[in-house]
């Protein structure tokens, strides 16, 4: 089994998660001739807007905000596409969020609104309350990204330090609201995808404060003062449909693998936890299958985390997972693996992930790499860069979390 085939499985998982594949059928419940306001945010937002324009034509108008480098690949007509920063917001994130709220507030009660939501919306549509500066919000984002907090915890905090998240975007609209969503959240809880811009949320400002306490956020920050008196989240109504997620992506890869004669086993669609710990557990599962002597592919999805602490290493959860997996497998013959993020970006560099096989540890030693030291420093990018074993696909304009496959030949 080689890297090329495992990469083809990853490509299939990405393909079925792209708006062009997963979105058009959901527009068919609307009349092509009716006027529709399109509002959205996320890494897939631009290509989702393309599909809206392909269906509604000039009857669709509106605005979406996506990440730099994730621009639309075809026309969007009267749907404006704005660009902003991810994973840490910038001034364009703030301006985009304000424009989304303003357009939503102008929708007539007789009009229909389709919200096109995907992962990344938390950063791309960032509107802090007037008493909190963008610098304050940036400090919070950077802290949360390095803290080891889960995406659910990060989004709980974000939505209570915002005037657009936690359903507030949908609450601003007087029209009939429909949300079409590509999920990047383990378990697909609507309240956590893009910090729940358009859905009802039951969390409270007190919950956000408890998360900040858990991870030791600066006690002098005025964000704490704001949360102590922050308003409750609004009541939200509207339809909600999930159009793609990790399960649909992995199932597509399984179908392709089976068609090529491979037996498969899904470890989990919703894997969570520290990348190194999950890797050790997956290594044990892989070695058990190897001992049984039957070729098989082990697949998993979800989203892993890396708690950086004071380390200065660069990389991402998929690269760290693979580095730890290689270390735990100890060069076991006949086992290789690929792990990559379906958005094309794993961590701080524009690589999707990486690939390992039975020769990875030997090659690392030959290149003077101390894998244990690199794991301690969380410098997975340096490891795979030195070996030339990165997976690079570029911006995919979608995101349904991690894709991992271990091959036991």
């Amino acid at each position: 089994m080689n890297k090329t085939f495992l990469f083809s499985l990853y490509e299939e998982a990405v393909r079925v998660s792209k708006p062009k594949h997963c979105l058009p059928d959901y527009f068919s419940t609307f009349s092509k001739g009716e006027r529709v306001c399109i509002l959205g945010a996320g890494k897939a937002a631009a290509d989702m807007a393309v599909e809206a324009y392909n269906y509604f034509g000039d009857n669709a108008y509106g605005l979406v905000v996506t990440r730099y480098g994730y621009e639309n690949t075809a026309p969007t007509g009267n749907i404006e596409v704005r660009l902003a920063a991810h994973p840490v917001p910038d001034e364009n994130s703030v301006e985009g969020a304000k424009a989304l709220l303003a357009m939503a507030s102008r929708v007539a009660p007789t009009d229909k609104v389709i919200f096109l939501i995907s992962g990344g919306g938390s950063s791309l549509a960032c509107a802090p309350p007037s008493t909190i500066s963008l610098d304050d919000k940036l400090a919070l984002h950077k802290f949360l990204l390095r803290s080891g907090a889960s995406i659910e915890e990060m989004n709980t905090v974000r939505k209570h330090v915002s005037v657009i998240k936690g359903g507030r975007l949908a609450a601003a609209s007087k029209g009939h609201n429909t949300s079409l969503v590509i999920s990047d959240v383990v378990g697909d809880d609507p309240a956590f995808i893009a910090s729940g811009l358009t859905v009802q949320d039951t969390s409270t400002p007190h919950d956000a404060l408890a998360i900040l306490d858990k991870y030791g956020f600066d006690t002098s920050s005025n964000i704490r003062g704001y949360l102590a008196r922050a308003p409750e989240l609004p009541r939200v109504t509207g339809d909600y449909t999930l159009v793609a997620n990790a399960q649909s992506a992995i199932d597509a890869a399984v179908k392709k693998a089976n068609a090529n004669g491979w037996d498969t086993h899904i470890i989990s669609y919703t894997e969570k936890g520290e990348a190194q710990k999950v890797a050790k557990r997956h290594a044990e599962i892989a070695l058990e299958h190897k001992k049984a002597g039957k070729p098989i592919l082990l697949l998993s999805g979800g989203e892993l985390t890396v708690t950086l602490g004071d380390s200065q290493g660069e990389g991402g959860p998929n690269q760290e997972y693979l580095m730890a997996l290689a270390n735990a497998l100890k060069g076991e013959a006949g086992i290789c693996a690929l792990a990559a993020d379906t958005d094309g970006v794993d961590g701080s560099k524009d690589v999707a992930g990486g690939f390992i096989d039975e020769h990875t540890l030997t090659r690392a030693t030959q290149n003077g790499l101390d894998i244990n030291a690199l794991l301690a420093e969380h410098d997975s990018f340096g490891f795979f860069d030195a070996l030339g074993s990165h997976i690079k696909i570029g911006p995919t304009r979608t995101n349904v979390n991690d894709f991992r496959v271990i091959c036991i030949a």
Side-chain angles (χ1 to χ4, degrees):
M1 176 56 56
N2 58 30
K3 181 179 179 180
T4 301
F5 182 70
L6 296 190
F7 182 69
S8 76
L9 298 181
Y10 166 66
E11 285 186 307
E12 179 66 5
V14 171
R15 184 188 72 82
V16 300
S17 306
K18 287 177 177 279
K20 183 178 182 179
H21 177 87
C22 67
L23 197 56
D25 286 349
Y26 293 96
F27 288 133
S28 62
T29 58
F30 295 85
S31 167
K32 289 187 176 183
E34 62 185 321
R35 182 170 168 80
V36 176
C37 179
I38 302 292
L39 299 173
K43 295 174 186 175
D47 277 13
M48 293 176 89
V50 168
E51 297 308 315
Y53 175 64
N54 286 345
Y55 185 81
F56 294 105
D58 290 336
N59 289 317
Y61 71 98
L63 166 71
V64 300
V65 185
T66 195
R67 179 180 178 170
Y68 300 122
Y70 283 59
E71 296 90 336
N72 41 303
T73 54
T76 57
N78 298 321
I79 307 169
E80 180 185 0
V81 177
R82 293 196 183 191
L83 304 177
H86 180 278
V88 179
D90 63 2
E91 290 289 351
N92 286 335
S93 306
V94 176
E95 293 305 312
K98 289 178 178 178
L100 286 169
L101 285 167
M103 188 165 286
S105 69
R106 294 195 295 268
V107 173
T110 54
D111 280 359
K112 293 185 177 179
V113 182
I114 300 179
F115 295 105
L116 302 177
I117 306 298
S118 58
S122 292
S123 171
L124 298 165
C126 172
S130 59
T131 57
I132 294 176
S133 69
L134 179 58
D135 284 343
D136 288 336
K137 195 76 180 282
L138 292 178
L140 174 64
H141 274 259
K142 290 176 181 177
F143 170 82
L144 290 171
L145 287 169
R146 294 183 65 86
S147 69
S150 68
I151 186 66
E152 293 85 358
E153 290 174 317
M154 287 192 280
N155 284 351
T156 294
V157 175
R158 288 167 171 169
K159 70 185 61 172
H160 288 284
V161 190
S162 172
V163 297
I164 190 171
K165 297 176 172 65
R168 292 183 178 95
L169 177 57
S173 164
K174 299 180 181 66
H176 177 77
N177 300 330
T178 296
S179 296
L180 299 178
V181 181
I182 295 175
S183 172
D184 71 332
V185 169
V186 178
D188 304 321
D189 188 331
F192 292 121
I193 304 167
S195 294
L197 290 166
T198 65
V199 297
Q200 185 67 50
D201 189 277
T202 58
S203 68
T204 67
H206 177 77
D207 294 331
L209 276 171
I211 292 167
L212 295 184
D213 289 339
K214 176 181 177 180
Y215 293 102
F217 185 64
D218 184 4
T219 56
S220 65
S221 170
N222 69 341
I223 287 177
R224 286 181 174 274
Y226 172 79
L227 287 172
R229 59 181 185 279
E232 297 293 321
L233 295 172
R235 178 69 181 162
V236 180
T237 59
D239 301 323
Y240 175 95
T241 301
L242 193 70
V243 301
N245 64 357
Q247 181 167 338
S248 59
I250 292 171
D251 285 348
V254 166
K255 184 177 179 180
K256 181 179 178 70
N258 292 158
N260 280 270
W262 278 89
D263 287 335
T264 56
H265 171 70
I266 296 168
I267 297 175
S268 174
Y269 291 112
T270 57
E271 197 72 86
K272 297 169 69 175
E274 286 288 324
Q276 293 190 33
K277 291 182 179 179
V278 174
K280 290 176 183 177
R281 177 162 50 82
H282 285 193
E284 292 173 359
I285 296 171
L287 291 169
E288 288 176 3
H289 281 279
K290 176 67 177 177
K291 189 181 297 184
K294 184 178 181 182
I296 195 167
L297 299 177
L298 309 176
L299 295 98
S300 63
E303 181 160 298
L304 306 183
T305 54
V306 176
T307 303
L308 289 171
D310 295 327
S311 67
Q312 299 301 311
E314 291 187 300
N318 288 290
Q319 295 165 78
E320 177 140 335
Y321 164 87
L322 282 173
M323 189 163 60
L325 184 69
N327 205 32
L329 289 172
K330 302 185 185 305
E332 181 71 28
I335 301 181
C336 61
L338 179 149
D341 200 312
T342 51
D343 71 349
V345 179
D346 183 47
S348 58
K349 299 287 188 177
D350 286 339
V351 298
F355 173 82
I356 63 166
D357 60 19
E358 61 192 80
H359 306 297
T360 296
L361 289 184
T362 300
R363 292 177 59 226
T365 300
Q366 292 170 346
N367 280 270
L369 300 174
D370 183 337
I371 192 170
N372 290 303
L374 290 169
L375 281 167
E377 278 300 306
H378 305 291
D379 191 11
S380 54
F381 178 84
F383 181 81
F384 286 98
D385 191 49
L387 298 180
S389 296
H390 274 124
I391 297 297
K392 298 181 181 180
I393 195 173
T396 64
R397 298 177 178 85
T398 191
N399 186 21
V400 291
N401 286 148
D402 302 331
F403 175 87
R404 294 176 295 272
V405 55
I406 303 172
C407 172
I408 296 93

